[in-house]
Structures are given as structure tokens and as C-alpha cells.
Amino acid sequence: MSLRLLIPLIAMSALLGLLFIGLGMNSRDLPSPLVGKPAPAFELEALEDSSRMLSEQDFIGEVALVNVWATWCSTCRAEKPLLMELAGGGIPIHAFNYRDERDAALRYLSVSDNPYRTIAYDPSGDAGIDWGVYATPETYVLDAEGIIRYKRIGPLNRQLLLDEVLPLVEKLRAEKLRDEQRRNEARSVATS
Amino acid sequence: MKRHLISSLMCVALWLVAWLLPAGLAMALAIGQPIEFESEAQKRQYDTLVRELRCTVCQSETIHESNAELAADMRRRVYEMTLAGHDAGAIVDFMVQRYGDYVRYRPPLQANTALLWASPFLLLLVGCIVWWRMIVGRKRMALRPEFTEQERTTLQRIRSGE
């Protein structure tokens, strides 16, 4: 008899438990299939100069961030001071100016800080689809070989930078250094 | 008299709104939607695909229903790829490579979705088991004699007021 009474209780608490876990989950935290893959190819005009074409090769070479932003995106504006700090700390930041107007974007950058090294102008969101952009702001971490190692959908914050982004950048830079040393050693062995 | 005039004017205005609003909405949906195809098959492929891909910003809508800009981009990409001769599978793969399995409104049957697909049948099974046990329990009750010997003597005692 007591067992019979216990069954609904157990079932109910299991259901409540599941619902409670569901409450804490963020439906926007989606795993990106692009993490671990090379940066998708694109060909876009530079924001500052419509005669200059940029491609993914312009983003590759160093461990770098790629930030997707627009002037109409207020969260992008909010996260820019953090990007300025990162750029000031020597981390190159490349960007897509996403579904924006060139004049508005240039005016915005001329009256405020510009943390970006290269900005690709993507007014129709073409590269956006290839890079799997959901909504601005988004930030990718590329390693020196141009492999996407991390993706953040939504704004960056200090905690996230300290916990995830900066340690990852450190790790990737160390990896790059190690690779270079190994290559140099191999070269010196080959020449001697 | 004046009040009459105002109320009848209001009526006309309401009628106008009721008639024009759906037309306006239909136009809003049609904006930016490609409609010209080279063949009937292409149109059919486009129409099914936009209903099978999820708008990843407004997560509970397909790109066919969504007004988000990303959905418009995705519709355009589906349209362009359809015109370029890609088949439905290739276009879905293209989107999955960029946005993950989540972009498919109908989840595929694979290892990590097996439980999702199996859950209705599992629930049905649980229901069947519960139902069967209840039937068996009732049958057992029906087979029992009305009262056991002990119950009958107890009843007898109660009845006689002991």
C-alpha cells in the first residue's frame, strides 16, 4: 500500500526535477558545428575601402578574435569597451560588420573607439550564413592556423573572458610557439 | 443625430481596417520572398525546405513563418541553391554544417535523438503496463468471494453491537 503511494510521489519529483533543470538551461547555448573546423571562406569588401577585397586569409596568421557586430546592435556597443581592452592587450580582433550600412558604421567608428584590425563589410549577411551567425554580437576565437576554436553567441563579459577566452588564447599561443620551435629544430637538424 | 453619425463612421472605419489588414499582412509576408522558379519541381523543393528549416534566432518558427532577417537570408540562400540545381538533401546538409542539427525542424533519427524518437512509444508501453495491471487487479477482486470468514464474523459482531 505504501509503495503504491510512493510511485506517484517519485514520478512527480522526477518530473519536477527535469523541469527545474530545464529552467536553468539557456536555449540559445547551442553547440556550434563550426568549432574545430577551418574558418569558412568569404570574399567581402573592406568596410573602410570598397575597392579592397578581404578574405578569410586576412583573419588568419595569429591567434585572433573575430567579432560580428552592427551599429543597430546595442549589445555590441555595450561589449565594445571589453574589446578595446583586449585589443589594447595585444590580441588582434577582426570583424564582420553584419547587415549594416557602410556610412553608419564608419560614422560610428569615427566618433568612438575602434578595436578592430580588419573589418569585412557584409551588408547582406552572405558570409554570416557561412560562418553560422545567429545574431549579433558573436565572437569566434581562431588559432594561428585559422581553425575556429571557440564561439560565443551573445555579448562577451569580463567573467567569460577571464574564465574561457583568455585562457584559451594563452593556450593557443603556447601551441603556436611550440609548433614553431619544433619546426625550427627540424630545420636545423636538416641543415646540419 | 450627431452621435449616430459618429458611430456609423466608426463602423465604416472598423470595416475598412478588418478588410485591409489581412491584405497588408499578406503583402508584408511576400516582401523579399522569391517567387519565380524555372520549374514546378524547384518550387515544390523550395516550399518544403522553408518549412523544414528552423529559424535559429526565433527558435520555435520555421524560416517560412519567421520575419527575422536571418530567416530571410536563409530563405534567399535556399532559393539560390534551389535555382542552382542543388537537391534538398544537399541544401539541408549545407545548413546543418553551419548551424548544427538544431536547424532541422524535424530532428533526424540518430544516436543522440534516439530517446526523443522512442519516448512516445516508451510512454505508450508504460501506459499499457499500468492498464494491464489494473485489469488484472480488478479481475482478482472479482474472483474473490465477497467476504472472508474473518470479515464475516467481524461484521456479525458489529451488527450485534459488540
Side-chain angles (χ1 to χ4, degrees), chain A residues 135-164:
Chain A
T136 51
E138 277 184 25
T139 306
Y140 303 78
V141 177
L142 297 188
D143 69 11
E145 313 289 317
I147 310 287
I148 296 176
R149 291 302 194 92
Y150 177 84
K151 180 182 176 187
R152 161 78 178 164
I153 301 171
L156 296 170
N157 55 53
R158 198 167 292 277
Q159 202 57 48
L160 196 78
L161 288 181
L162 291 175
D163 291 347
E164 294 180 25

mmCIF file of all heavy atoms in Angstrom, chain A residues 135-164:
data_model
loop_
_atom_site.group_PDB
_atom_site.id
_atom_site.type_symbol
_atom_site.label_atom_id
_atom_site.label_comp_id
_atom_site.label_asym_id
_atom_site.label_seq_id
_atom_site.Cartn_x
_atom_site.Cartn_y
_atom_site.Cartn_z
ATOM 1 N N ALA A 135 22.914 35.727 -34.378
ATOM 2 C CA ALA A 135 22.508 37.099 -34.086
ATOM 3 C C ALA A 135 23.722 37.809 -33.532
ATOM 4 O O ALA A 135 24.578 37.195 -32.906
ATOM 5 C CB ALA A 135 21.390 37.097 -33.052
ATOM 6 N N THR A 136 23.802 39.098 -33.783
ATOM 7 C CA THR A 136 24.921 39.862 -33.249
ATOM 8 C C THR A 136 24.709 40.082 -31.752
ATOM 9 O O THR A 136 23.558 40.132 -31.325
ATOM 10 C CB THR A 136 25.012 41.228 -33.946
ATOM 11 O OG1 THR A 136 23.720 41.816 -33.866
ATOM 12 C CG2 THR A 136 25.436 41.080 -35.377
ATOM 13 N N PRO A 137 25.709 40.282 -30.934
ATOM 14 C CA PRO A 137 27.115 40.061 -31.271
ATOM 15 C C PRO A 137 27.494 38.593 -31.141
ATOM 16 O O PRO A 137 26.899 37.874 -30.345
ATOM 17 C CB PRO A 137 27.838 40.887 -30.197
ATOM 18 C CG PRO A 137 26.922 40.844 -29.027
ATOM 19 C CD PRO A 137 25.531 40.782 -29.574
ATOM 20 N N GLU A 138 28.476 38.201 -31.930
ATOM 21 C CA GLU A 138 29.048 36.868 -31.810
ATOM 22 C C GLU A 138 30.557 36.993 -31.887
ATOM 23 O O GLU A 138 31.065 37.899 -32.550
ATOM 24 C CB GLU A 138 28.548 35.959 -32.934
ATOM 25 C CG GLU A 138 27.205 35.361 -32.621
ATOM 26 C CD GLU A 138 26.711 34.382 -33.650
ATOM 27 O OE1 GLU A 138 27.543 33.796 -34.367
ATOM 28 O OE2 GLU A 138 25.500 34.204 -33.736
ATOM 29 N N THR A 139 31.241 36.113 -31.189
ATOM 30 C CA THR A 139 32.694 36.202 -31.175
ATOM 31 C C THR A 139 33.302 34.818 -31.354
ATOM 32 O O THR A 139 32.883 33.870 -30.698
ATOM 33 C CB THR A 139 33.193 36.820 -29.858
ATOM 34 O OG1 THR A 139 32.523 38.078 -29.671
ATOM 35 C CG2 THR A 139 34.685 37.055 -29.896
ATOM 36 N N TYR A 140 34.244 34.724 -32.269
ATOM 37 C CA TYR A 140 34.962 33.479 -32.525
ATOM 38 C C TYR A 140 36.401 33.649 -32.076
ATOM 39 O O TYR A 140 36.935 34.760 -32.110
ATOM 40 C CB TYR A 140 34.990 33.152 -34.019
ATOM 41 C CG TYR A 140 33.639 33.037 -34.682
ATOM 42 C CD1 TYR A 140 32.910 34.169 -35.032
ATOM 43 C CD2 TYR A 140 33.100 31.797 -34.974
ATOM 44 C CE1 TYR A 140 31.677 34.069 -35.642
ATOM 45 C CE2 TYR A 140 31.857 31.681 -35.599
ATOM 46 C CZ TYR A 140 31.156 32.828 -35.926
ATOM 47 O OH TYR A 140 29.935 32.720 -36.533
ATOM 48 N N VAL A 141 37.023 32.529 -31.684
ATOM 49 C CA VAL A 141 38.464 32.537 -31.466
ATOM 50 C C VAL A 141 39.085 31.664 -32.545
ATOM 51 O O VAL A 141 38.697 30.504 -32.709
ATOM 52 C CB VAL A 141 38.838 31.995 -30.071
ATOM 53 C CG1 VAL A 141 40.356 31.950 -29.913
ATOM 54 C CG2 VAL A 141 38.228 32.857 -28.978
ATOM 55 N N LEU A 142 40.010 32.240 -33.315
ATOM 56 C CA LEU A 142 40.732 31.484 -34.336
ATOM 57 C C LEU A 142 42.132 31.191 -33.834
ATOM 58 O O LEU A 142 42.757 32.053 -33.227
ATOM 59 C CB LEU A 142 40.864 32.298 -35.630
ATOM 60 C CG LEU A 142 39.621 32.710 -36.394
ATOM 61 C CD1 LEU A 142 40.043 33.321 -37.723
ATOM 62 C CD2 LEU A 142 38.720 31.521 -36.631
ATOM 63 N N ASP A 143 42.625 29.979 -34.102
ATOM 64 C CA ASP A 143 44.030 29.746 -33.765
ATOM 65 C C ASP A 143 44.899 30.214 -34.933
ATOM 66 O O ASP A 143 44.392 30.725 -35.940
ATOM 67 C CB ASP A 143 44.256 28.279 -33.371
ATOM 68 C CG ASP A 143 44.112 27.320 -34.544
ATOM 69 O OD1 ASP A 143 44.040 27.796 -35.692
ATOM 70 O OD2 ASP A 143 44.063 26.106 -34.295
ATOM 71 N N ALA A 144 46.221 30.044 -34.781
ATOM 72 C CA ALA A 144 47.127 30.618 -35.780
ATOM 73 C C ALA A 144 46.949 29.973 -37.153
ATOM 74 O O ALA A 144 47.287 30.570 -38.175
ATOM 75 C CB ALA A 144 48.570 30.454 -35.304
ATOM 76 N N GLU A 145 46.417 28.759 -37.176
ATOM 77 C CA GLU A 145 46.206 28.083 -38.460
ATOM 78 C C GLU A 145 44.862 28.452 -39.071
ATOM 79 O O GLU A 145 44.517 27.980 -40.152
ATOM 80 C CB GLU A 145 46.239 26.548 -38.271
ATOM 81 C CG GLU A 145 47.403 26.044 -37.439
ATOM 82 C CD GLU A 145 48.709 26.178 -38.184
ATOM 83 O OE1 GLU A 145 48.727 25.855 -39.385
ATOM 84 O OE2 GLU A 145 49.691 26.632 -37.578
ATOM 85 N N GLY A 146 44.063 29.229 -38.344
ATOM 86 C CA GLY A 146 42.762 29.614 -38.865
ATOM 87 C C GLY A 146 41.653 28.631 -38.544
ATOM 88 O O GLY A 146 40.608 28.627 -39.191
ATOM 89 N N ILE A 147 41.879 27.762 -37.550
ATOM 90 C CA ILE A 147 40.821 26.840 -37.124
ATOM 91 C C ILE A 147 39.971 27.561 -36.060
ATOM 92 O O ILE A 147 40.513 28.185 -35.153
ATOM 93 C CB ILE A 147 41.412 25.556 -36.485
ATOM 94 C CG1 ILE A 147 42.488 24.941 -37.377
ATOM 95 C CG2 ILE A 147 40.314 24.565 -36.154
ATOM 96 C CD1 ILE A 147 41.975 24.270 -38.610
ATOM 97 N N ILE A 148 38.651 27.449 -36.170
ATOM 98 C CA ILE A 148 37.771 28.039 -35.154
ATOM 99 C C ILE A 148 37.855 27.176 -33.898
ATOM 100 O O ILE A 148 37.607 25.974 -33.941
ATOM 101 C CB ILE A 148 36.318 28.094 -35.658
ATOM 102 C CG1 ILE A 148 36.219 29.031 -36.866
ATOM 103 C CG2 ILE A 148 35.382 28.566 -34.549
ATOM 104 C CD1 ILE A 148 34.852 29.080 -37.494
ATOM 105 N N ARG A 149 38.227 27.792 -32.776
ATOM 106 C CA ARG A 149 38.402 27.008 -31.559
ATOM 107 C C ARG A 149 37.314 27.289 -30.528
ATOM 108 O O ARG A 149 37.167 26.575 -29.541
ATOM 109 C CB ARG A 149 39.765 27.317 -30.934
ATOM 110 C CG ARG A 149 40.926 26.816 -31.728
ATOM 111 C CD ARG A 149 40.827 25.315 -31.929
ATOM 112 N NE ARG A 149 42.075 24.760 -32.407
ATOM 113 C CZ ARG A 149 43.017 24.281 -31.590
ATOM 114 N NH1 ARG A 149 42.853 24.289 -30.297
ATOM 115 N NH2 ARG A 149 44.123 23.794 -32.094
ATOM 116 N N TYR A 150 36.556 28.358 -30.743
ATOM 117 C CA TYR A 150 35.591 28.752 -29.733
ATOM 118 C C TYR A 150 34.598 29.677 -30.397
ATOM 119 O O TYR A 150 34.925 30.412 -31.322
ATOM 120 C CB TYR A 150 36.314 29.492 -28.608
ATOM 121 C CG TYR A 150 35.434 30.036 -27.507
ATOM 122 C CD1 TYR A 150 35.031 29.219 -26.448
ATOM 123 C CD2 TYR A 150 35.024 31.371 -27.515
ATOM 124 C CE1 TYR A 150 34.238 29.731 -25.435
ATOM 125 C CE2 TYR A 150 34.224 31.879 -26.507
ATOM 126 C CZ TYR A 150 33.841 31.050 -25.466
ATOM 127 O OH TYR A 150 33.060 31.550 -24.468
ATOM 128 N N LYS A 151 33.348 29.587 -29.927
ATOM 129 C CA LYS A 151 32.368 30.529 -30.447
ATOM 130 C C LYS A 151 31.445 30.952 -29.321
ATOM 131 O O LYS A 151 30.978 30.126 -28.546
ATOM 132 C CB LYS A 151 31.554 29.874 -31.556
ATOM 133 C CG LYS A 151 30.526 30.828 -32.112
ATOM 134 C CD LYS A 151 29.685 30.177 -33.173
ATOM 135 C CE LYS A 151 28.623 31.144 -33.620
ATOM 136 N NZ LYS A 151 27.668 30.550 -34.518
ATOM 137 N N ARG A 152 31.218 32.241 -29.243
ATOM 138 C CA ARG A 152 30.298 32.776 -28.243
ATOM 139 C C ARG A 152 29.148 33.454 -28.987
ATOM 140 O O ARG A 152 29.379 34.358 -29.793
ATOM 141 C CB ARG A 152 31.026 33.784 -27.359
ATOM 142 C CG ARG A 152 30.137 34.731 -26.584
ATOM 143 C CD ARG A 152 29.545 34.068 -25.382
ATOM 144 N NE ARG A 152 28.725 35.032 -24.636
ATOM 145 C CZ ARG A 152 27.839 34.666 -23.718
ATOM 146 N NH1 ARG A 152 27.669 33.396 -23.432
ATOM 147 N NH2 ARG A 152 27.134 35.565 -23.087
ATOM 148 N N ILE A 153 27.929 32.998 -28.712
ATOM 149 C CA ILE A 153 26.757 33.675 -29.261
ATOM 150 C C ILE A 153 26.254 34.601 -28.175
ATOM 151 O O ILE A 153 25.942 34.153 -27.080
ATOM 152 C CB ILE A 153 25.661 32.656 -29.638
ATOM 153 C CG1 ILE A 153 26.199 31.662 -30.659
ATOM 154 C CG2 ILE A 153 24.443 33.369 -30.183
ATOM 155 C CD1 ILE A 153 25.276 30.505 -30.928
ATOM 156 N N GLY A 154 26.197 35.898 -28.474
ATOM 157 C CA GLY A 154 25.785 36.855 -27.464
ATOM 158 C C GLY A 154 26.975 37.644 -26.983
ATOM 159 O O GLY A 154 28.106 37.426 -27.420
ATOM 160 N N PRO A 155 26.729 38.596 -26.094
ATOM 161 C CA PRO A 155 27.791 39.503 -25.687
ATOM 162 C C PRO A 155 28.847 38.821 -24.813
ATOM 163 O O PRO A 155 28.554 37.870 -24.099
ATOM 164 C CB PRO A 155 27.049 40.581 -24.888
ATOM 165 C CG PRO A 155 25.817 39.912 -24.414
ATOM 166 C CD PRO A 155 25.442 38.909 -25.461
ATOM 167 N N LEU A 156 30.059 39.335 -24.908
ATOM 168 C CA LEU A 156 31.120 38.894 -24.005
ATOM 169 C C LEU A 156 30.937 39.594 -22.673
ATOM 170 O O LEU A 156 30.312 40.654 -22.607
ATOM 171 C CB LEU A 156 32.478 39.278 -24.581
ATOM 172 C CG LEU A 156 32.882 38.630 -25.906
ATOM 173 C CD1 LEU A 156 34.126 39.315 -26.447
ATOM 174 C CD2 LEU A 156 33.134 37.154 -25.715
ATOM 175 N N ASN A 157 31.457 38.997 -21.617
ATOM 176 C CA ASN A 157 31.527 39.729 -20.358
ATOM 177 C C ASN A 157 32.859 39.393 -19.691
ATOM 178 O O ASN A 157 33.561 38.472 -20.113
ATOM 179 C CB ASN A 157 30.337 39.408 -19.458
ATOM 180 C CG ASN A 157 30.193 37.932 -19.217
ATOM 181 O OD1 ASN A 157 31.139 37.273 -18.794
ATOM 182 N ND2 ASN A 157 29.014 37.393 -19.517
ATOM 183 N N ARG A 158 33.188 40.150 -18.670
ATOM 184 C CA ARG A 158 34.512 40.023 -18.064
ATOM 185 C C ARG A 158 34.756 38.609 -17.531
ATOM 186 O O ARG A 158 35.823 38.033 -17.712
ATOM 187 C CB ARG A 158 34.664 41.051 -16.947
ATOM 188 C CG ARG A 158 36.078 41.317 -16.542
ATOM 189 C CD ARG A 158 36.163 42.544 -15.673
ATOM 190 N NE ARG A 158 35.852 43.761 -16.396
ATOM 191 C CZ ARG A 158 36.752 44.409 -17.131
ATOM 192 N NH1 ARG A 158 37.985 43.964 -17.223
ATOM 193 N NH2 ARG A 158 36.429 45.503 -17.767
ATOM 194 N N GLN A 159 33.724 38.062 -16.890
ATOM 195 C CA GLN A 159 33.867 36.737 -16.299
ATOM 196 C C GLN A 159 34.189 35.702 -17.380
ATOM 197 O O GLN A 159 35.066 34.854 -17.231
ATOM 198 C CB GLN A 159 32.557 36.351 -15.583
ATOM 199 C CG GLN A 159 32.721 35.293 -14.521
ATOM 200 C CD GLN A 159 33.737 35.712 -13.469
ATOM 201 O OE1 GLN A 159 33.676 36.820 -12.962
ATOM 202 N NE2 GLN A 159 34.676 34.835 -13.169
ATOM 203 N N LEU A 160 33.444 35.795 -18.474
ATOM 204 C CA LEU A 160 33.628 34.862 -19.586
ATOM 205 C C LEU A 160 35.036 34.987 -20.165
ATOM 206 O O LEU A 160 35.689 33.992 -20.489
ATOM 207 C CB LEU A 160 32.593 35.180 -20.657
ATOM 208 C CG LEU A 160 32.370 34.125 -21.707
ATOM 209 C CD1 LEU A 160 31.497 33.029 -21.144
ATOM 210 C CD2 LEU A 160 31.726 34.747 -22.921
ATOM 211 N N LEU A 161 35.509 36.227 -20.279
ATOM 212 C CA LEU A 161 36.852 36.438 -20.817
ATOM 213 C C LEU A 161 37.884 35.802 -19.901
ATOM 214 O O LEU A 161 38.786 35.099 -20.355
ATOM 215 C CB LEU A 161 37.137 37.941 -20.950
ATOM 216 C CG LEU A 161 36.398 38.669 -22.066
ATOM 217 C CD1 LEU A 161 36.804 40.135 -22.084
ATOM 218 C CD2 LEU A 161 36.685 38.036 -23.405
ATOM 219 N N LEU A 162 37.740 36.043 -18.598
ATOM 220 C CA LEU A 162 38.721 35.521 -17.636
ATOM 221 C C LEU A 162 38.660 34.001 -17.564
ATOM 222 O O LEU A 162 39.687 33.337 -17.461
ATOM 223 C CB LEU A 162 38.468 36.117 -16.251
ATOM 224 C CG LEU A 162 38.783 37.608 -16.118
ATOM 225 C CD1 LEU A 162 38.391 38.109 -14.741
ATOM 226 C CD2 LEU A 162 40.269 37.854 -16.371
ATOM 227 N N ASP A 163 37.442 33.450 -17.613
ATOM 228 C CA ASP A 163 37.298 32.004 -17.434
ATOM 229 C C ASP A 163 37.597 31.211 -18.697
ATOM 230 O O ASP A 163 38.141 30.117 -18.633
ATOM 231 C CB ASP A 163 35.865 31.663 -16.988
ATOM 232 C CG ASP A 163 35.586 32.145 -15.581
ATOM 233 O OD1 ASP A 163 36.560 32.505 -14.906
ATOM 234 O OD2 ASP A 163 34.414 32.157 -15.180
ATOM 235 N N GLU A 164 37.181 31.742 -19.833
ATOM 236 C CA GLU A 164 37.252 30.916 -21.032
ATOM 237 C C GLU A 164 38.140 31.485 -22.142
ATOM 238 O O GLU A 164 39.020 30.807 -22.637
ATOM 239 C CB GLU A 164 35.827 30.694 -21.586
ATOM 240 C CG GLU A 164 34.992 29.868 -20.619
ATOM 241 C CD GLU A 164 33.581 29.620 -21.118
ATOM 242 O OE1 GLU A 164 33.386 29.650 -22.344
ATOM 243 O OE2 GLU A 164 32.692 29.413 -20.288
#
